Amino acid sequence: MTTAEDRIDALELAFGSLDDPGNPLGAAALLAADAAGAVLPEAEQVLDAFGLNAEFVPADVGGRLERMDLLGRLLRPVFRRDASLGFGYGLNCFFAATPVWTAGDDAQRRLAARLLLSGRRVAVARHEVAHGNDFVRDEFTARAVPDGLVIDGSKSAIANASRATGLVVFARTEGAARGRSHTVLLLDRDELPADAVENLARRETTGMRSAEFGGLRITDCLVPRSAVVGEVGDGYELSLRSSLLIRGLIPSIVLAGADTALRTVARFANRRREDGRSSLDVRHVRDVLTGGFLDLLIIDCLALVATRALHLLPRQMSAYAAAAAYLAPKLVAESMDEMSAVLGEETFAQDGAYAMFQKQRRDLPVTSLGHAGSAGRQVSILPQLPYFARHAWFADPEPPPDLFRPDRALPPLDLSQPVLLGDGDPLAATLVACTDLLEAAEPQDETGLGGPALRFLTRVLTGELAELKKAFENVAEGDREALSSPQSFGLADRYTLVLAAAACLGVWREQRAATAEGRADAFLAAPAWVTAVLYRLVARLGLPLPDRPAEPERLVLDEVVARLHNRRSYDLYASPLA
């Protein structure tokens, strides 16, 4: 497996066909394991053989992690099948290790790498203030003593609590100043006194039933000062900085589960009845399938931008990662609600051909919440918008074209570069530039550029950006009262939709440019999908719409059905499925 593309295909093939009833790693086996609240051992053996944990370890300490966009894609074959497996086996280990990759010293990075590359797990115990994944308010404390720090306390909801050798602990530091209340510690459980760490009971969850969420109690445990990641009191900042990596991956894992849900519903709708008709003869069913696929394309464009921006735009990417992690679960949840109406009573099936839908629907809230809830992601966007309004929107230059081209190489990932508050918004400039491109098109070029409908939609979205500029120009930077108002949260939601439109336009435009190189995807280079996507986004914003783009939507539906029959993924890559 010499390239990431090879590894993606190899992992997909290793699992085999999801809908083959004879496959020991297929849907029937995964559903049975889910019902039992257990991990499918054969599935973990596939990941062991593949060495999935190496994908979470940076290349400079012996792993295979070099590009965040490719990491997102590598997760999809796993999360298309089982979020519990993907999260419990490895992704949670990456979430746990990000503070170490971000701020750890050489010895700490080598320790985390050694644990993961040897097939062991690293778990994280976060503080409860800034995170939405806690069942109760409990935490660890750390007090300084002459020989190091003494840890006490418990946490009742830690993924992989009993299975992890490495522990990344956010501990409250006694006597710390405001904003410096927590410290991050990297611990090797094998090096701790056996009687100092106790496993607590496992907690049941509605979604991701097979993933272990258990607890730990640590009692009067002395650890050396060298266990501190960064400096004492860095916990809150490291949590935020870690989120810059984590959030960009959320759209990929959400999209993967939704891919399976959409394929399940498409297969249901495509089946022929005795009279030769199918559910696809019903306009509403066609609309739901078309809309579900369009939402996945929107999500994947945001995923592409958020992950590649870590390499290309580290000083501007924080808003993009937050927007992607906020919008992806929201779009998928609403799309799944629409799809459930098509499935009808099969929505609740616990086994059989369509049962994967209810599993993916149950897993979604747990999968997407993990690191922080949607409000937390909006809160990280809002402080940046007054600055963008005054200094960036309609003034910034565009981002480099490589932001939208997954086939292009990226600079090395340097985790010291991303910042929490961006100093510009070049992605918004893509929307403005594409509007100018379409406005300047000659009539003979209109067909290739989508015609009047696409031009109208981009103009409306650019007008929405202008309205956002007016709204936030009058908000002083740091005005917490104004930024925490319901109106501001509503405007932040609208901003994420504008960003989504810009990301989609950027991908489409660069696919058109790639046509001359012979490297374009014909579907993505054509204007049908982006016209239908923008129509859907503008409708969500409640803005003026042109006539409904019936022909573009028909072409999108044709693609849905073609990918069903050809066994291709419902994302930007149309990857072959086992």
Side-chain angles (χ1 to χ4, degrees):
M1 293 184 288
T2 57
T3 69
E5 292 284 350
D6 292 334
R7 299 201 300 275
I8 294 166
D9 291 342
L11 186 56
E12 174 67 27
L13 290 173
F15 278 111
S17 174
L18 184 60
D19 51 8
D20 177 1
N23 180 7
L25 299 171
L30 292 168
L31 288 165
D34 182 71
V39 175
L40 190 64
E42 295 86 349
E44 288 204 329
Q45 289 165 14
V46 167
L47 299 182
D48 287 339
F50 180 81
L52 184 67
N53 276 355
E55 305 294 344
F56 307 128
V57 178
D60 66 348
V61 283
R64 300 196 291 250
L65 176 59
E66 295 180 300
R67 284 177 43 173
M68 290 299 292
D69 59 334
L70 292 176
L71 176 57
R73 289 186 60 198
L74 274 158
L75 294 169
R76 296 181 192 187
V78 187
F79 278 87
R80 269 197 294 269
R81 291 164 170 82
D82 186 13
S84 296
L85 177 67
F87 184 77
Y89 184 96
L91 184 58
N92 183 65
C93 295
F94 178 72
F95 286 2
T98 48
V100 182
W101 306 147
T102 302
D105 59 29
D106 288 343
Q108 291 167 338
R109 286 166 57 86
R110 288 195 301 270
L111 170 59
R114 175 171 55 81
L115 292 172
L116 292 174
L117 294 174
S118 64
R120 286 177 285 180
R121 289 170 173 76
V122 180
V124 58
R126 295 189 179 275
H127 57 297
E128 82 282 351
V129 177
H131 301 276
N133 59 343
D134 298 85
F135 291 84
V136 294
R137 296 172 63 87
D138 51 1
E139 63 180 346
F140 294 103
T141 61
R143 68 180 188 277
V145 295
D147 295 332
L149 298 102
V150 173
I151 306 175
D152 272 296
S154 65
K155 193 79 173 169
S156 63
I158 301 172
N160 288 330
S162 68
R163 305 180 79 191
T165 305
L167 300 175
V168 175
V169 175
F170 284 69
R172 181 175 292 278
T173 313
E174 293 184 350
R178 180 179 175 86
R180 307 283 299 170
S181 60
H182 286 77
T183 296
V184 181
L185 304 160
L186 173 62
L187 310 177
D188 182 345
R189 191 166 175 174
D190 288 345
E191 300 297 322
L192 302 178
D195 59 353
V197 184
E198 176 188 358
N199 294 325
L200 302 179
R202 178 176 175 176
R203 303 187 71 94
E204 294 184 0
T205 57
T206 302
M208 293 208 308
R209 294 171 177 173
S210 301
E212 182 216 339
F213 290 93
L216 288 176
R217 178 178 290 117
I218 301 179
T219 306
D220 198 29
C221 182
L222 176 66
V223 300
R225 188 81 175 195
S226 60
V228 174
V229 179
E231 302 292 338
V232 171
D234 279 355
Y236 182 61
E237 180 181 352
L238 280 179
S239 176
L240 294 176
R241 289 181 62 80
S242 297
S243 73
L244 298 178
L245 277 75
I246 294 169
R247 285 172 172 168
L249 296 177
I250 298 257
S252 281
I253 64 178
V254 169
L255 181 151
D259 181 301
T260 296
L262 176 59
R263 181 165 290 99
T264 302
V265 177
R267 189 169 62 248
F268 175 86
N270 193 60
R271 77 200 194 290
R272 291 289 170 182
R273 300 192 293 264
E274 290 183 2
D275 61 2
R277 297 174 64 83
S278 77
S279 298
L280 288 174
D281 295 321
V282 179
R283 170 67 180 269
H284 176 69
V285 173
R286 297 196 299 271
D287 288 348
V288 168
L289 294 179
T290 302
F293 184 37
L294 291 173
D295 284 344
L296 295 192
L297 293 174
I298 292 168
I299 290 167
D300 211 6
C301 289
L302 280 171
L304 183 71
V305 165
T307 50
R308 291 181 70 83
L310 266 166
H311 300 258
L312 294 167
L313 302 169
R315 299 190 62 81
Q316 294 88 33
M317 56 73 55
S318 63
Y320 308 153
Y326 164 76
L327 195 56
K330 185 181 176 71
L331 292 178
V332 166
E334 294 177 12
S335 181
M336 283 193 175
D337 285 345
E338 294 176 351
M339 287 190 280
S340 67
V342 173
L343 274 181
E345 63 182 15
E346 292 288 358
T347 298
F348 308 104
Q350 300 294 309
D351 52 35
Y354 309 112
M356 283 298 288
F357 181 86
Q358 57 82 25
K359 171 173 164 48
Q360 296 292 356
R361 196 180 186 194
R362 275 191 289 105
D363 288 348
L364 173 67
V366 185
T367 305
S368 59
L369 188 60
H371 179 63
S374 61
R377 292 157 192 164
Q378 283 182 295
V379 165
S380 66
I381 294 171
L382 275 164
Q384 305 183 63
L385 300 186
Y387 179 89
F388 292 169
R390 281 191 279 274
H391 304 291
W393 292 335
F394 299 97
D396 271 356
E398 281 198 80
D402 286 1
L403 183 67
F404 308 106
R405 289 282 299 268
D407 59 315
R408 295 278 179 85
L410 288 170
L413 182 63
D414 183 350
L415 298 180
S416 68
Q417 293 301 305
V419 297
L420 298 175
L421 298 176
D423 62 4
D425 188 359
L427 181 56
T430 296
L431 171 62
V432 178
C434 287
T435 302
D436 292 343
L437 169 71
L438 293 166
E439 293 281 5
E442 297 293 334
Q444 62 267 26
D445 295 330
E446 279 196 347
T447 302
L449 290 173
L454 185 56
R455 183 168 62 246
F456 181 93
L457 291 164
T458 56
R459 189 188 307 124
V460 167
L461 286 159
T462 301
E464 177 65 17
L465 182 64
E467 291 300 314
L468 289 169
K469 178 176 170 65
K470 290 179 185 176
F472 283 105
E473 274 179 333
N474 297 320
V475 177
E477 293 176 39
D479 185 342
R480 294 185 178 182
E481 183 176 353
L483 292 174
S484 62
S485 69
Q487 180 186 14
S488 290
F489 273 79
L491 292 172
D493 179 87
R494 299 178 75 82
Y495 170 68
T496 64
L497 295 170
V498 171
L499 279 186
C504 293
L505 282 165
V507 169
W508 167 69
R509 186 184 63 183
E510 294 311 316
Q511 284 294 314
R512 289 186 71 247
T515 302
E517 305 169 18
R519 304 182 71 177
D521 177 282
F523 174 72
L524 295 177
W529 75 275
V530 77
T531 302
V533 154
L534 263 58
Y535 187 92
R536 192 164 175 84
L537 290 169
V538 170
R540 286 185 70 96
L541 286 162
L543 297 172
L545 291 165
D547 291 339
R548 185 167 178 173
E551 180 63 12
E553 289 183 357
R554 185 190 66 78
L555 293 172
V556 171
L557 180 62
D558 288 347
E559 185 75 6
V560 173
V561 176
R563 293 195 189 191
L564 174 69
H565 293 314
N566 297 332
R567 303 190 67 80
R568 296 276 173 171
S569 61
Y570 287 127
D571 55 15
L572 291 175
Y573 308 95
S575 301
L577 303 181

